[in-house]
Amino acid sequence: MPTITYHQPDGDTQVIELEKPDRIMQAALKNSVPGIVGECGGQAMCATCHVYVREEYLDALPEIGDDEEEMLEVTASERDERRSRLGCQVEVGGSGPESIEVDIPEEQV
């Protein structure tokens, strides 16, 4: 079963088990994970689902697309050139990794 582990800035952790493949942002919204806003609904147009992917999961991710790259330049919290991704663009399960852990930034807007 695919899983996403969300690490909050205060140290709290929430593990979500997915019944089917889903994106980091959508799973967070469905499960009331604090710190993920998703204002644009997953269209890579707002950067309010910015996350820092933990190092051990980076190699399993697809390349960053042009739209995601552009939005990562305007995140509310500082971008990490290696670890920053938009949660709406990363699928877990299906074509993505079976599990992933992400750190949620201090602020999204």
Side-chain angles (χ1 to χ4, degrees):
M1 180 172 285
T3 60
I4 305 172
T5 303
Y6 300 90
H7 298 277
Q8 296 292 333
D10 66 3
D12 283 349
T13 299
Q14 187 171 354
V15 179
I16 304 297
E17 291 186 354
L18 306 175
E19 293 182 22
K20 61 181 183 173
D22 209 349
R23 296 185 182 268
I24 293 170
M25 183 207 75
Q26 284 83 351
L29 295 178
K30 289 174 191 171
N31 291 279
S32 302
V33 174
I36 301 290
V37 180
E39 285 181 346
C40 73
Q43 302 300 310
M45 297 177 67
C46 70
T48 62
C49 62
H50 176 217
V51 294
Y52 303 111
V53 176
R54 295 232 165 154
E55 289 285 338
E56 59 267 31
Y57 300 95
L58 291 173
D59 291 339
L61 299 182
E63 294 289 321
I64 294 175
D66 291 340
D67 290 341
E68 183 178 6
E69 182 69 44
E70 186 176 330
M71 286 294 95
L72 286 171
E73 294 298 324
V74 296
T75 57
S77 290
E78 184 175 346
R79 178 182 183 177
D80 180 313
E81 288 297 324
R82 180 153 164 77
R83 297 178 52 225
S84 286
R85 294 299 298 259
L86 296 182
C88 67
Q89 299 300 299
V90 178
E91 183 176 62
V92 179
S95 64
E98 280 300 302
S99 66
I100 197 165
E101 293 190 35
V102 298
D103 297 303
I104 297 176
E106 289 281 340
E107 58 184 318
Q108 292 285 14
V109 292

